[in-house]
Amino acid sequence: MNNRVKTLTETALLISGVNPKKCMKCGKCSGTCPSYDKMEYHPHQFVSMVEKGQIEKLMNSASIYYCLSCMACVERCPRGVEPGKLVEAVRLMKIRQQDANHKNGNDIARIADENVPQQLLMAAMRKYRK
Amino acid sequence: MQKIGVFVCWCGSNIAGTVDVEAVAEALKSVPGVVYSVSYQYMCSAAGQKLITDAINEYKLDGIVVASCSPRMHENTFRKTAEAAGLNPYMVEIANIREQCSWIHKDKEEGTKKAIVLAKAAVAKLKNDKPLKAGTSQVTKRALVIGGGIAGIQTALDVADAGYEVDIVEQRPTIGGRMAQLDKTFPTLDCSACILTPKMVEASQNEKINIISYAKVEKVSGFVGSFKATIRKKARFVDETKCTGCSLCMQKCPSKKGKDEFNMNMNNRPAIYIPFAQAIPNVAVIDPEQCIKLKTGKCGLCEKVCAAGAINYKMEDELIEREYGAIVVATGFKPIDPSPLNEYGYAENADVVTSLELERLMNAAGPTKGTLLRPSDGKHPHEIVFIQCVGSRCDENTERGKPYCSKICCMYTAKHAMLIRDKYPDTNVHVFYIDVRTPGKNFDEFYRRAVEQYGVDYIKGMVGKVAKEGDKLMVRGSDLINNQQVEIAADLVVLATAIEPDPSARSIGTMLTASMDTNDFFTEAHAKLRPVESPTAGIFLSGVAQGPKDVPETVAQASAAASKVIGLLAKDHLVTNPCVAESNELMCNGCSQCEKVCPYGAITYIEKEVRGPGVREVRRIAQVNPAVCQGCGACTVACPSGAMDLKGFSNKQIMAEVDQICL
Ligand SMILES: Cc1cc2nc3c(=O)[nH]c(=O)nc-3n(C[C@H](O)[C@H](O)[C@H](O)COP(=O)(O)OP(=O)(O)OC[C@H]3O[C@@H](n4cnc5c(N)ncnc54)[C@H](O)[C@@H]3O)c2cc1C
Ligand code: SF4
Ligand code: SF4
Ligand code: SF4
Ligand code: SF4
């Protein structure tokens, strides 16, 4: 792992508090996820990709916005991995990135994909309010 | 002045790698009392032992210190060496410079320093050693087996075959255990009852075996060779010696709302019942919760129809007291209740069943007479989903289930899938799995047969949700290989639920002071080398009580436990450990503290005239039964007057060691 990858991975683990090594690759999170079909990377892949340091791929994927934060995967994972918290962490990393959150709150409605669940739009708008 | 010899072992490079053994031997030479000190490659070898023997003879040693591995490994070896050379075997001290020194240190200088200190401490203790003489105790030539499943039955048969008496105490009205509930058994698919019931019959006909069914062990005291057990035989309200097992009473009994435990509560049974046709003993039992006569005083029909006059509504529990030389724990298991894992909807949907329930649904003596029908509407299921690892392999810090793999479910799921595809080719069978674990002779071949010959659809991934929609169960899970989420409209969902020890295991463990792991499985004395013995002497382990296993493994372990029991019962007497507690009657004030802490019940109190300097009076003083005392030392610490002391580990000896290390 080069330094950038290392820092990104550490940040994701720090924000989420998740230890991806606990995952036994059973796929229960993905069997549970209501947004599975919308996500390019599925919950179990999130865990695996974070473990392998592929954070940038995840940050640049729309998958992080399709997660509903329903936490069903967190609830049901037999190993206590909490994949939903990882998705949330990567989403936060994207938002916190300098120059990546330049969109105006007023633009959101115009550019939003009509397939994005409303719950997510609400969550996003709240984040922009401050 | 004593003449002490010190023998420092290299243990190849195990000790010599991190401890300068020659420096240790050299340093010990200057300790007062030490007249000979030497190091050698392998002290436990024949040559090493000869070195010790020769030195004892040549230097007229009256005590030796061996600085080597843990006393658990070779204390006995060196005691025997010393004894053969004419020394009292208890004038031998071991300084553990391997497990407690070389293996845990990296720095040679530090390791050497510590080894010298440990060896010096052993010399200090040895100087206070007194020659001890081991006593003997009797062996009662009878074994107690707790649990009458296949494990308990096999152990009992083997012990009886060697000519010893065995009592099987079984909590249910019949022996047989879980195996009696199974339909067919992997990997050969023979009918479970057909291979189990001959063994049950054999046990009941063997004159050395006494089956005490519908009973519980209530109390156990004593020690290896002479245990005393109190067994409560519950009132079955039917005289075992008279009942012929005709089952007429079952047909006539008007109370039919009892749950049939043998069929996993999936149908009802009368208040008076015989659990299943081949039950041993084949004797009815009355369920007092359901019997109208016992609850209201009315009815009494069974008494009227019973031609043998076996019914006795006044029967009471019976207490049996017997002595045993050995005890075997064969208490088996039960499947967990999957209801708390609510994504599977087990509690809400009748058509979500456990694998053991499925065994009954497929068995000719089961609630559906062997035709696979779904419990909700009695229709044939055409789409069946199996889910493996339900409640197994979970992180200990979650509420999701057990941390271990239940070991048997991969194989029995393959069995179920194969049997269903064989009998009902129009039925599709899907299996969600994480890993298919099939180590064992002909096991992987068996699983591959299910896939390749019987067309069972194995899906790698887990199920996230089972939801009822109309008369279907929508099973949503992931298919990791195809990288997609799948949804199957199923008629029946079968959960391969984790297994856990029988709920009574913990209390049995406490009663026997036999150690258990955090999951309540019994722990073996050594994970590799003593797999069928408990660390508590005289207690042996058989079957799933020790950990998940299938029938072939259970039977192998049961026979192994039997051979250990036979080895014990074949002895006329046992050599007892002379390192036991002893109270100083001049110091004891009869406060009873020691009795309270003794886990073996070895301490009693007597009124005795005590004579000493300035005293002559009758006092209440503690007395230790040396045959029962295990030398654990708890009493010596509890005694507020310092009256209790442990031979071979006296307070003076321990203090001498501590002083040597600290001063
Ligand atoms: C669904 C399912 C399918 C299976 N299929 C197969 C298969 O096809 N092939 C195979 O090899 N294995 C199979 N097994 C495994 C098999 O059932 C076990 O290996 C076997 O039953 C273990 O026997 P046991 O005697 O150790 O335990 P058990 O069968 O549980 O017997 C223990 C006995 O002890 C009694 N007991 C418990 N506590 C006490 C107490 N305190 N006092 C008195 N008595 C007590 C119990 O009542 C019981 O009778 C299957 C298991 C399940 C769950
Ligand atoms: S449910 Fe948990 S253990 Fe299973 S794949 Fe997802 S994160 Fe890993
Ligand atoms: S929290 Fe996100 S990833 Fe997890 S199940 Fe819900 S939508 Fe899917
Ligand atoms: S007395 Fe009890 S067990 Fe006997 S027939 Fe009546 S209800 Fe049934
Ligand atoms: S035996 Fe198979 S199904 Fe059972 S817990 Fe282990 S891996 Fe899971």
Side-chain angles (χ1 to χ4, degrees), chain B residues 387-393 404-413 432-438 496-498:
Chain B
I387 308 172
Q388 293 195 175
C389 302
V390 172
S392 294
R393 307 173 61 184
Y404 49 84
C405 162
S406 295
K407 199 173 180 182
I408 50 175
C409 13
C410 277
M411 277 300 282
Y412 71 54
T413 298
F432 281 93
Y433 72 98
I434 308 175
D435 307 283
V436 178
R437 295 180 165 173
T438 49
T497 35

Side-chain angles (χ1 to χ4, degrees), chain B residues 431-452:
Chain B
V431 178
F432 281 93
Y433 72 98
I434 308 175
D435 307 283
V436 178
R437 295 180 165 173
T438 49
K441 195 169 164 184
N442 295 324
F443 280 18
D444 209 59
E445 296 91 320
F446 181 85
Y447 148 60
R448 291 312 305 165
R449 241 184 27 238
V451 179
E452 294 169 30

Side-chain angles (χ1 to χ4, degrees), chain A residues 22 24-28 30-34 36-37 42 44-45 75-80, chain B residues 343-344 393-395 398 400 403 434 460-465 476-478 480 483-485:
Chain A
K22 287 174 75 175
M24 65 166 158
K25 309 192 190 299
C26 70
K28 192 169 184 97
S30 291
T32 298
C33 181
Y36 182 96
D37 286 333
H42 308 307
H44 73 279
Q45 287 174 294
E75 177 84 5
R76 293 182 188 147
C77 168
R79 306 289 322 165
Chain B
E343 72 266 29
Y344 300 119
R393 307 173 61 184
C394 298
D395 186 82
T398 66
R400 309 292 303 167
I434 308 175
K460 184 169 172 63
M462 266 307 257
V463 167
K465 185 85 189 154
R476 198 195 308 146
S478 59
L480 295 173
N483 201 17
Q484 64 184 21
Q485 201 176 57

Side-chain angles (χ1 to χ4, degrees), chain B residues 18-342:
Chain B
T18 6
V19 168
D20 183 345
V21 281
E22 279 165 9
V24 177
E26 201 49 42
L28 266 288
K29 276 185 184 157
S30 55
V31 176
V34 174
V35 296
Y36 181 70
S37 179
V38 70
S39 77
Y40 186 70
Q41 282 243 320
Y42 294 105
M43 214 51 96
C44 60
S45 68
Q49 292 186 53
K50 183 162 183 299
L51 188 81
I52 297 176
T53 316
D54 289 350
I56 292 175
N57 290 328
E58 191 180 335
Y59 295 90
K60 307 265 169 296
L61 301 179
D62 43 22
I64 62 167
V65 166
V66 185
S68 58
C69 51
S70 158
R72 287 188 69 151
M73 309 300 297
H74 276 307
E75 185 174 58
N76 241 338
T77 313
F78 296 123
R79 277 188 178 158
K80 282 195 181 132
T81 312
E83 195 172 18
L87 206 61
N88 181 285
Y90 294 89
M91 296 302 286
V92 174
E93 289 298 334
I94 307 287
N96 180 353
I97 60 165
R98 191 177 77 175
E99 284 83 345
Q100 289 176 359
C101 186
S102 70
W103 277 357
I104 50 168
H105 289 291
K106 287 201 176 78
D107 185 67
K108 196 158 183 172
E109 201 176 319
E110 260 196 357
T112 307
K113 251 205 266 169
K114 181 166 168 186
I116 293 173
V117 170
L118 290 175
K120 282 185 177 170
V123 173
K125 179 171 182 236
L126 177 64
K127 284 182 183 166
N128 293 292
D129 272 3
K130 292 198 177 64
L132 298 174
K133 197 169 171 348
T136 58
S137 65
Q138 294 298 307
V139 179
T140 307
K141 306 215 171 251
R142 187 187 300 120
L144 168 65
V145 174
I146 308 176
I150 179 62
I153 294 173
Q154 185 63 47
T155 301
L157 285 173
D158 289 349
V159 172
D161 204 28
Y164 299 106
E165 277 182 48
V166 195
D167 289 356
I168 301 178
V169 172
E170 166 58 53
Q171 64 186 358
R172 299 205 177 88
T174 172
I175 58 168
R178 297 289 171 201
M179 192 178 167
Q181 294 178 286
L182 306 182
D183 182 39
K184 305 266 186 319
T185 52
F186 65 74
T188 42
L189 295 182
D190 26 12
C191 139
S192 190
C194 311
I195 56 175
L196 173 69
T197 51
K199 284 206 183 273
M200 292 166 61
V201 172
E202 206 185 321
S204 75
Q205 289 175 344
N206 191 314
E207 56 183 27
K208 296 278 181 195
I209 299 178
N210 174 27
I211 298 170
I212 309 173
S213 61
Y214 210 42
K216 285 222 139 181
V217 179
E218 217 162 62
K219 197 176 147 221
V220 174
S221 60
F223 52 96
V224 53
S226 1
F227 293 106
K228 194 188 241 162
T230 310
I231 299 157
R232 177 178 292 272
K233 194 164 166 36
K234 282 188 278 177
R236 62 196 298 155
F237 306 104
V238 176
D239 188 335
E240 269 186 63
T241 58
K242 291 185 186 157
C243 174
T244 58
C246 72
S247 76
L248 200 63
C249 52
M250 288 176 72
Q251 293 155 30
K252 297 288 185 228
C253 176
S255 162
K256 299 228 191 281
K257 291 214 191 81
K259 288 282 170 227
D260 189 342
E261 297 89 348
F262 184 70
N263 279 338
M264 301 305 290
N265 302 334
M266 287 187 291
N267 60 329
N268 289 350
R269 56 147 173 80
I272 187 163
Y273 67 102
I274 298 174
F276 57 98
Q278 303 102 316
I280 300 273
N282 188 16
V283 170
V285 52
I286 295 182
D287 176 352
E289 303 288 311
Q290 297 294 331
C291 171
I292 303 164
K293 171 84 179 176
L294 290 174
K295 275 174 32 192
T296 67
K298 295 190 194 92
C299 187
L301 254 175
C302 50
E303 190 181 28
K304 288 192 195 100
V305 298
C306 179
I311 312 287
N312 174 5
Y313 303 117
K314 298 220 167 65
M315 194 182 266
E316 283 177 5
D317 288 4
E318 187 190 339
L319 287 181
I320 304 170
E321 271 207 6
R322 291 199 99 176
E323 292 190 1
Y324 301 96
I327 299 178
V328 181
V329 183
T331 46
F333 72 98
K334 77 180 238 312
I336 61 158
D337 171 14
S339 313
L341 306 171
N342 54 20

Side-chain angles (χ1 to χ4, degrees), chain B residues 610-626:
Chain B
V610 177
R611 290 181 197 198
V615 251
R616 184 168 177 175
E617 56 185 1
V618 175
R619 283 189 193 162
R620 179 177 189 267
I621 53 167
Q623 212 177 36
V624 179
N625 179 346

